[in-house]
Amino acid sequence: MEIGIAYYALILFVSFFTLLALGVPVAFCIIVATAIALAIDMPIQEVFYMGSQTMFEGINSFGLLAVPFFILSGSLMNHGGIAKRLIDLALLIGGRIPGSLLHANVLSNMLFGSVSGSSVAAASAVGGFMGPLQKEKNYDKNICAAVNIASAPTGLLIPPTGMFIIYSLLTGASVGTLFIAAYIPGIMMGLGVMLVAYYFAKKYNYPVEPRKESKEVVNIILSSIPSLAMVVLVIGGIVFGVFTATEGGAIAVAYSAILALIYKEISVKEFPKICLDAAAMSGLILFLIAASSFMAWVMSYLSLPEALSDLLIGISENKLVIFLLMNLALLLVGTFLDVAPALLIFTPIFFPVAHSLGMGDIQFGIMIAFNLCIGNFTPPVGSALFVGCNVAGVPIEKVIKPLIPIFLLEILLLLMVTYIPNISLILPKIFGLI
């Protein structure tokens, strides 16, 4: 890396992480750090002009309308009684496995997280429901919290999820192909947590749930079908080109609103507040995207991705080693940054490097998403970690020990996703998408 580029990069990232350590909101950290780095080489008036211009261009995209649509859809589902029905289905599926309430927790997070698109919502809603049931059966609350926390981010990976819509806008990758590609890795992540949960269940002799009567089984399955049908409708429509991701988001909103009214879990008077909350969350994410667009432009202006590529190739010409270094860097970043800002900042840096080494946009998207999902339950800043501990009423230090074996297994799965392309690409190939 040239001295000049290294100098600018050092100023950029030292400023960013210093502001982050001081508790400045992430979007402002990005804007201020980027402006400081750019001001060294450019008059301040031009910095303001380029900043406002690139931030506006960063969100001036029709495709970004999908983000608020999916956020509103997830918010309607969170309040609309869908979580309870999906948890009942998960209890039915996992009920005959030792430690059934742990497995039901994981399956609930996979099901509910996928339709809500939020690890925080999954950790809160599912953890809040499962916690009293697990306490009643004398499950260790630290283990229960760890399993809930580690499985909550699976919903960020299993579609439909806004993360891949943002990634698509950054790289040009197909949203439908990303959605299909994410299913196997997302299920692998959930099964990894279930494998460790099974170990804990055998070690501590956790019980199996009693069999349900046939009539109750049928009722549970029938009541869950409308919720699961939304996933089939939205994903199927996007993948087969019936509608775009943005239109799919609008359909998801209409479907979840109708379902909430049918379930009578939300009154008409509650809709304005739900919409306002979703608008606030959308504004936060879009502001992050705008800020990150400014940083991405400056990194391109400074030729930082090319310099980083030269640096990594200078360390080793073996692409397996370079992919490992990229994963280590992303895992470290994931412990400090939430998923959205980490994705927005580091995709423009690492994607050109991965692409030059033969990794396609779909596999890289799955790899970075899987990586950042692990960071979502890793201290010190993992949002699922904090929410899960708060819901369970346990201190963070108590869940670290049961989280360690889950973390190590997820790292192994991450390496499999990195080095075995067909884990991500086999389903898109079957559907003729690549």
Side-chain angles (χ1 to χ4, degrees), residues 78-79 83 87 105 108-109 112-113 116 118-132 145 148-153 376 383-393:
N78 292 347
H79 295 85
I87 290 171
N105 196 319
S108 297
N109 277 329
F112 180 66
S116 71
S118 169
S119 62
V120 170
S124 177
V126 176
F129 184 88
M130 296 297 301
N148 181 48
I149 290 163
S151 58
N376 204 238
S383 53
L385 176 68
F386 282 97
V387 171
C389 286
N390 185 55
V391 169

Side-chain angles (χ1 to χ4, degrees), residues 182-198:
Y183 273 107
I184 291 177
I187 292 169
M188 284 173 57
M189 177 175 278
L191 291 177
V193 182
M194 290 179 72
L195 186 61
V196 179
Y198 183 80

Side-chain angles (χ1 to χ4, degrees), residues 390-407:
N390 185 55
V391 169
V394 297
I396 290 177
E397 58 270 19
K398 293 290 185 181
V399 301
I400 298 301
K401 185 177 178 180
L403 270 177
I404 288 173
I406 301 175
F407 177 80

Side-chain angles (χ1 to χ4, degrees), residues 51 74 106 118 122-123 179 216 271 290 293-294 297 329 347 355 383:
V106 177
S118 169
F179 279 0
E216 188 178 1
F271 269 90
S293 299
F294 183 29
W297 180 85
T347 296
H355 188 68
S383 53

Side-chain angles (χ1 to χ4, degrees), residues 21 84 86 125 141 181 218 268 271 302 406 410 434:
K84 171 67 169 61
L86 293 177
K141 63 179 181 180
V218 171
V268 175
F271 269 90
L302 298 174
I406 301 175
E410 298 295 355
I434 57 175

Side-chain angles (χ1 to χ4, degrees), residues 19-83:
L19 291 167
L20 196 65
L22 292 173
V24 178
V26 174
F28 291 104
C29 292
I30 295 170
I31 294 170
V32 174
T34 305
I36 291 171
L38 194 58
I40 296 171
D41 192 52
M42 188 180 288
I44 192 67
Q45 297 93 332
E46 290 187 35
V47 172
F48 285 129
Y49 172 77
M50 292 308 305
S52 58
Q53 186 79 6
T54 53
M55 287 175 69
F56 174 77
E57 288 297 326
I59 57 174
N60 186 26
S61 169
F62 178 77
L64 274 178
L65 283 174
V67 174
F69 279 137
F70 277 112
I71 289 173
L72 177 56
S73 172
S75 185
L76 288 168
M77 292 174 188
N78 292 347
H79 295 85
I82 293 172

